[in-house]
Amino acid sequence: MVGVRRRDGLVSARKAVGLSQEKLAEIMDVDRRTVIRWEAGDFAPLPFQRPKLARVLRRSQDELRVLIEGSPAADLPHELEPAFSWLDRRVGWSPGTTRERVGARVSPDRQPGPRIDRSCAADALASYYGELPADYALYQARYGGKGVRTSILSRSEWLDLSCQLTPENDQLLLGPGLESHSCGINEKAAVGRLAEAAEGGVRVADVPIYRLAEFDMGGGALSGSLDVVPFVEYALTLDLLERELSEMLVVNRDLRPGHAPLRDKYLPDVATVLDLSGRLCAGGVLALTAIARPADPYRGGRDYLLLIQERSRNVLNAAGSLAVIPKAFHRPSTDQRADARIGATLRRALENELFGRVDVDNTAGSQRAADPMHPRRLSAPMRWLTEQPGRLRMECTGFGLNLVSGNYEFASLVVIDDEEFWSRFGGEVEANWESAELRSYSTLDGDLIGRLIADESWSNEGLFSLLQGLRRLAEIGGDRLTVPSVELCR
C-alpha cells in the first residue's frame, strides 16, 4: 500500500512482553483486526488508548510515540553513532536501541541547560561533603581584599608547585596492568545526555582519555600512574553530575546526601573522591597563558597579555562558563605512553586551541598522522617557540580534585617572555570552536583583573588555574605586573 509504513517496532514491543495479537486486543478492549491494523500502519491507536498501551508494552509514552509515529533518530548527528553503539554494548541493548531512545527524547525546542553561579555550586558541594579530612581544604583565595571559594579539593603540598614541565619533572606514566574499572550506568540519564548532545551539537567522541589511579608530588616532580578509558564512559557517568547539580540548585533544592541520585551513586563522600584507584577519575590540563608585549602608546608599558575564554555551548562540560585557555582533557593522541605527560597534552592544546591546528583535535574524527606533533607538522608559532630553549615556559602551578564531577585538575601556567613572539605571531593567535569568545587582559590593569576574578561565570577549575597562575606570575613577571597579590586562605 502506497504511503503506509509497517510498524515493526510495535510488533517487536508486543512480542518482547510475550503477548499475542489476540491477548493484546483483549487487554486493550479492541478486536484483533484493530491490533493488526495498528501494526500494519493502516492507522494509529487513538490518544486515549496510548497511556494504557504504553503500560502494557512496558514502554514510556515517548518510546510508544516513536513506535507509532516513526523515529526522529534518522536525523541524529552521525558523529554520535560511536556513543550510541557504546551504550548499546555497555548495557546489553540490541543494536540501534540507544539511537531510538535518544530520538524519542530529542526536542527541537529544548532550551540550554541551566547554569548557576560558581560560588553557589562551591557552597552547595561544601555542604554536601561536610567536614573534610585533616590536611584537605576547598581552595580559597583573596584578591584585593575580597575572598573566593571554589569546589577544588586540595592540600598545601599540591599548591605552590612551580613545577617546570620538563621530562625530568613531568613523570605521570601509563601504569602496567592497572585493574580495569567501570561505572554503573544510569540508563535514563545517559540517554538524556545524548539527546542534549544531539540537540546542541555537543561532541561526545568515543576516544581514549586518561584515568588517574595514583598521584604524588615530591622533590619538585609530578608522578603517578594512569590508565586509559573511553571518553564516552566518562561523559555518560561522572560528567552527568554537573548537570544534576545545576538542575537541583536552579529550583532551590538543597544538595543533600540521599537526595541526589547520581552523586549518591558515583561520588557519595570524600573517601570516594580520594579513592583514585577505586573509581573513574578523569581530568584535565588547563593553563593561564601569558604573552609578553612591548610598550604601546595606547596600552601603556611592557606587560603580559592574559587570554581568557568563554566556553562554547558545544563543549561537554563547563559550557558557557569562563575558563583559562587552553583547557583540555588529559588524553593520548597516538602514543598512549609518551602522551601521558602533562606537558604533551598542554603543547597539543596550545596548537589546537590557539594556533589553529585542527588536525590534532581527534574529537572531530580519527587521528591519521603517525606523529601529530612532529616538528615538520607544527604551526609557525609553535615551531618558533620550540626552536630555542626558554622561549616557551610551561609550569604546573597546582593540583586538585574538582568536587563537581571528581575530575583531577592540573592548573598550569604558559609564559612567553620574548616580546618578538607577539610582534611576529600576535595576529595568528585565535581560539577554536571550543570558545564562544576570547578575551584579553593586561597585567597592568589590576582593576579589570579584579572584576574578572569576581565574575560568577567562572568554572571552578578555571578560576583555580587563573588564581594559581597569577600568584606564580607575580613571582617571575617583574615590572610587567601591577596588580594586587593573590593570597591563599589556609
Side-chain angles (χ1 to χ4, degrees):
M1 183 181 298
V2 178
V4 174
R5 179 177 59 182
R6 283 186 51 81
R7 298 190 181 100
D8 293 329
L10 203 57
V11 177
S12 298
R14 172 177 58 77
K15 292 180 177 180
V17 294
L19 293 177
S20 64
Q21 290 177 333
E22 292 85 349
K23 186 63 177 177
L24 180 59
E26 179 185 341
I27 294 173
M28 293 299 300
D29 196 24
V30 297
D31 58 39
R32 178 170 177 257
R33 180 174 295 276
T34 297
V35 173
I36 292 173
R37 296 182 71 184
W38 285 350
E39 295 179 350
D42 290 350
F43 64 84
L46 298 173
F48 77 89
Q49 296 171 317
R50 296 188 183 194
K52 182 177 181 180
L53 182 59
R55 291 194 299 273
V56 172
L57 298 180
R58 301 174 191 171
R59 299 296 181 104
S60 69
Q61 293 273 13
D62 286 337
E63 290 169 336
L64 180 65
R65 175 174 55 81
V66 170
L67 295 178
I68 294 171
E69 300 174 5
S71 173
D75 298 325
L76 295 177
H78 175 73
E79 291 79 9
L80 290 175
E81 284 296 340
F84 296 158
S85 298
W86 182 90
L87 188 58
D88 282 341
R89 295 191 304 270
R90 185 69 170 74
V91 300
W93 288 339
S94 59
T97 302
T98 295
R99 164 176 273 278
E100 290 296 326
R101 295 192 179 193
V102 168
R105 293 282 296 274
V106 167
S107 170
D109 301 322
R110 193 194 304 265
Q111 297 300 308
R115 189 181 61 78
I116 51 151
D117 290 347
R118 178 204 50 76
S119 59
C120 291
D123 291 344
L125 290 164
S127 175
Y128 180 93
Y129 289 105
E131 185 176 354
L132 301 176
D135 301 328
Y136 289 91
L138 293 182
Y139 180 86
Q140 302 180 70
R142 297 185 66 81
Y143 177 88
K146 297 181 180 179
V148 292
R149 176 166 68 170
T150 72
S151 64
I152 305 299
L153 182 67
S154 194
R155 52 193 306 173
S156 58
E157 55 263 43
W158 291 352
L159 306 173
D160 300 319
L161 298 183
S162 304
C163 178
Q164 297 280 340
L165 293 175
T166 62
E168 297 77 21
N169 298 333
D170 192 356
Q171 288 293 320
L172 285 184
L173 302 174
L174 190 67
L178 290 178
E179 182 180 353
S180 63
H181 178 79
S182 61
C183 300
I185 300 291
N186 182 306
E187 298 168 4
K188 181 178 180 180
V191 168
R193 186 68 182 95
L194 289 173
E196 291 173 5
E199 294 157 359
V202 176
R203 296 183 182 181
V204 183
D206 190 12
V207 297
I209 59 173
Y210 290 116
R211 163 200 166 217
L212 186 63
E214 297 176 345
F215 173 74
D216 189 32
M217 178 68 207
L222 306 173
S223 61
S225 294
L226 300 164
D227 197 1
V228 175
V229 296
F231 175 76
V232 66
E233 178 162 359
Y234 162 78
L236 300 184
T237 55
L238 274 296
D239 188 67
L240 299 174
L241 298 180
E242 181 179 4
R243 179 60 184 264
E244 180 185 61
L245 171 65
S246 298
E247 289 178 339
M248 294 185 70
L249 297 185
V250 81
V251 295
N252 297 316
R253 288 178 57 194
D254 291 336
L255 185 69
R256 293 181 294 160
H259 294 78
L262 295 175
R263 187 166 298 275
D264 294 338
K265 178 182 181 64
Y266 295 129
L267 288 181
D269 48 44
V270 178
T272 303
V273 174
L274 296 174
D275 182 20
L276 302 183
S277 63
R279 68 177 181 90
L280 194 166
C281 184
V285 181
L286 58 168
L288 176 65
T289 297
I291 304 174
R293 298 187 296 187
D296 181 90
Y298 295 98
R299 187 180 63 248
R302 301 161 63 246
D303 71 347
Y304 285 112
L305 167 72
L306 304 182
L307 295 175
I308 305 298
Q309 64 171 316
E310 178 185 329
R311 299 278 283 168
S312 165
R313 288 287 178 180
N314 298 117
V315 296
L316 186 72
N317 59 12
S321 297
L322 293 179
V324 294
I325 188 168
K327 171 180 166 60
F329 275 97
H330 187 204
R331 60 175 178 83
S333 180
T334 55
D335 188 331
Q336 293 184 358
R337 195 168 301 281
D339 291 339
R341 301 176 190 273
I342 295 299
T345 290
L346 193 51
R347 283 188 293 273
R348 195 168 63 242
L350 282 169
E351 284 280 73
N352 177 224
E353 297 183 33
L354 287 176
F355 299 159
R357 287 279 307 282
V358 296
D359 60 307
V360 295
D361 179 11
N362 66 358
T363 65
S366 59
Q367 181 59 252
R368 298 182 182 277
D371 183 2
M373 294 299 290
H374 188 279
R376 294 290 297 272
R377 298 183 68 90
L378 297 180
S379 66
M382 182 61 80
R383 186 179 303 116
W384 186 87
L385 288 171
T386 55
E387 280 176 346
Q388 293 184 17
R391 283 180 173 173
L392 177 64
R393 182 203 305 244
M394 300 191 304
E395 296 185 7
C396 181
T397 57
F399 173 82
L401 297 169
N402 193 343
L403 295 184
V404 171
S405 54
N407 288 7
Y408 62 90
E409 310 287 0
F410 282 101
S412 305
L413 176 66
V414 171
V415 182
I416 301 173
D417 279 316
D418 192 331
E419 294 176 355
E420 185 180 349
F421 176 85
W422 187 249
S423 300
R424 281 175 173 256
F425 303 110
E428 298 181 37
V429 176
E430 183 176 347
N432 72 349
W433 67 271
E434 297 175 56
S435 298
E437 181 183 10
L438 188 64
R439 305 182 186 179
S440 300
Y441 292 84
S442 169
T443 52
L444 299 180
D445 198 333
D447 179 58
L448 276 183
I449 290 178
R451 294 185 214 173
L452 175 66
I453 292 172
D455 195 321
E456 284 292 338
S457 300
W458 276 100
S459 64
N460 280 278
E461 68 274 16
L463 185 57
F464 171 55
S465 188
L466 172 70
L467 294 171
Q468 284 296 98
L470 286 173
R471 295 181 66 232
R472 177 58 177 157
L473 205 55
E475 297 174 353
I476 64 177
D479 61 1
R480 292 184 185 274
L481 281 82
T482 58
V483 297
S485 62
V486 176
E487 301 175 355
L488 294 186
C489 300
R490 303 291 185 177

